[in-house]
Amino acid sequence: MGDTMDTFEIKTVIHFGENSLDRLRVLPYKKVLIICDPVVVQSGMIDLITAPLSRGQIAYEIFSDVVPDAPIEKIAGGVVRLLQFQPEAIVAVGGGSAIDSAKAIREFTLQINNYGRIGLIAIPTTSGTGSEVTSFAVVNDTKAQIKYPLVSSELTADEAILDAELVKSVPPSVTADTGMDVFTHALESYVSTKHNEFSSALAEKSIEICGVFLLRAYLDGTDMHARKKMHVASCLAGLSFNTAGLGITHSMAHQLGAVFHIPHGRANAMLLPHVVEFNADINKHSRSQQEYLPAVKRYSNIAHILGLSNYNKVMSVRSLVNWIQFMQKEMNIPLTIQELGTIPPDAYFAAVDKMAENALKDTCTPTNPRIPAKEDIVKIYTKLWSF
């Protein structure tokens, strides 16, 4: 840890629980721009947002030209719209992409135009990215096939509204992908080199909730108790990694998303067992050692929180890997790229070298508990193809 001062801050005011969307009725703004993905409008979910705004006599316009992995062109379109409408705040509604887009649109507007202040209220419609409380946004250079993470505390939303009403129609496969994204956020931040007591507490709680409620939410989307819990778990994991950072599961998943468009949470879930083995330096052939890497003790703590009791550290890490793979199987997440059935082997292996290079440069890599060499990353991508 060294002798440098650590700082822990939660900038975002979080409204959660029953009827938390009522907060929109009493926002301290007269005019807001709603930025959301098209699905929010098409599904009629937008009414849950516009009704309380109307009751509060707050003027609004809707900008829904948002796509996953926000390309720079789409961000520019949002900036134009914002400058035309001149709102006092943005209400961002959607998955990580919509919230990331809103953050980037606000940030770029403030930079090109001495606009003053623009509030940001983030309302997630998936229990996944934690973007509503983080200081990150990812924008995509589609031509170069590279995702650029923006990082600045200025990006953080002023308020987040966690209302499980918005996630009850999320289909099982998306519940699985986003739920494993939550688990990955919590686990990676828990073992990261920048973890501290505050981030660890948030990560532990998030993992405990995933252990009890993720499968329940997957098996029955109308189980509102499980939905509420997972929605909170997503936010807790976001608060944790916002301060502690992540690891190479994310660095590698970003490449699989940019090149092969594998959904982010699914890519994380598929990579995670391999990364745990790499970080712990323990695999199915390991025996007890005198000395273990520091991550091993932390993975053992997590195994304990998930109720996987074991008599030694090797077994604890093995049981954690097995639990992750059990969850993948239960929720129909492929364990290998081959199993996805959409990517030909030659295309995949042709991309591995470049993906490994970009993963090493990714902003999530420096906080990984074990420093990887390029060949380590290549090895994990290779293992991921098939067992």
Side-chain angles (χ1 to χ4, degrees), residues 48-339:
L48 293 171
I49 309 299
T50 55
L53 289 172
S54 299
R55 281 206 306 279
Q57 295 175 327
I58 297 167
Y60 63 84
E61 267 189 16
I62 298 168
F63 175 79
S64 63
D65 191 12
V66 168
V67 295
D69 303 329
I72 293 159
E73 309 78 81
K74 297 278 185 197
I75 303 286
V79 171
V80 170
R81 186 67 177 275
L82 204 153
L83 290 170
Q84 283 164 349
F85 184 56
Q86 300 273 313
E88 298 165 57
I90 294 170
V91 174
V93 188
S97 301
I99 295 173
D100 278 7
S101 298
K103 289 174 173 178
I105 289 166
R106 174 173 79 155
E107 186 60 15
F108 292 137
T109 304
L110 293 172
Q111 285 182 10
I112 56 175
N113 186 314
N114 224 336
Y115 193 98
R117 214 189 143 276
I118 306 169
L120 177 58
I121 298 94
I123 309 176
T125 58
T126 60
S127 306
T129 65
S131 185
E132 68 277 7
V133 290
T134 68
S135 55
F136 304 93
V138 179
V139 290
N140 206 3
D141 184 338
T142 34
K143 300 205 176 39
Q145 286 192 328
I146 295 178
K147 291 186 176 188
Y148 293 105
L150 309 174
V151 188
S152 154
S153 69
E154 299 304 306
L155 290 168
T156 315
D158 302 294
E159 299 186 31
I161 299 174
L162 307 179
D163 196 318
E165 270 308 298
L166 300 176
V167 288
K168 73 171 180 210
S169 60
V170 169
S173 66
V174 180
T175 300
D177 290 348
T178 52
M180 287 308 288
D181 198 17
V182 173
F183 182 80
T184 306
H185 287 153
L187 185 62
E188 288 219 292
S189 67
Y190 188 74
V191 298
S192 94
T193 55
K194 271 177 55 190
H195 71 80
N196 58 46
E197 290 78 358
F198 297 96
S199 65
S200 300
L202 295 158
E204 284 178 19
K205 191 64 188 174
S206 181
I207 285 166
E208 185 190 312
I209 293 172
C210 289
V212 179
F213 293 104
L214 174 50
L215 210 47
R216 267 180 59 177
Y218 171 79
L219 294 169
D220 175 10
T222 61
D223 180 340
M224 287 314 284
H225 185 59
R227 287 288 200 193
K228 273 183 205 144
K229 290 287 194 184
M230 282 306 299
H231 215 38
V232 168
S234 173
C235 187
L236 290 169
L239 290 168
S240 178
F241 84 77
N242 195 44
T243 175
L246 293 161
I248 59 170
T249 311
H250 270 78
S251 312
M252 295 179 69
H254 289 153
Q255 315 318 316
L256 292 172
V259 182
F260 296 112
H261 308 292
I262 299 174
H264 176 65
R266 176 162 294 207
N268 274 336
M270 293 168 73
L271 284 159
L272 190 58
H274 302 288
V275 173
V276 170
E277 288 189 341
F278 169 76
N279 285 343
D281 203 12
I282 282 176
N283 57 42
K284 47 178 151 314
H285 312 298
S286 298
R287 298 275 173 273
S288 289
Q289 295 152 236
Q290 288 291 271
E291 278 296 309
Y292 294 99
L293 296 175
V296 171
K297 183 168 186 325
R298 296 187 71 78
Y299 284 133
S300 297
N301 293 349
I302 295 306
H304 186 72
I305 287 169
L306 290 168
L308 312 168
S309 52
N310 274 296
Y311 55 90
N312 70 25
K313 292 198 174 84
V314 175
M315 289 305 293
S316 295
V317 175
R318 290 297 318 145
S319 66
L320 176 59
V321 169
N322 291 340
W323 183 87
I324 297 164
Q325 291 175 331
F326 161 79
M327 291 294 280
Q328 286 174 269
K329 288 172 191 150
E330 288 296 300
M331 299 191 296
N332 283 311
I333 294 173
L335 292 160
T336 63
I337 299 285
Q338 198 175 16
E339 234 181 287

Side-chain angles (χ1 to χ4, degrees), residues 3-23:
D3 296 327
T4 51
M5 172 179 85
D6 276 331
T7 302
F8 177 77
E9 175 188 33
I10 298 180
K11 266 180 82 168
T12 309
V13 178
I14 301 163
H15 309 279
F16 62 104
E18 293 297 321
N19 303 321
S20 39
L21 285 169
D22 278 355
R23 168 64 188 159

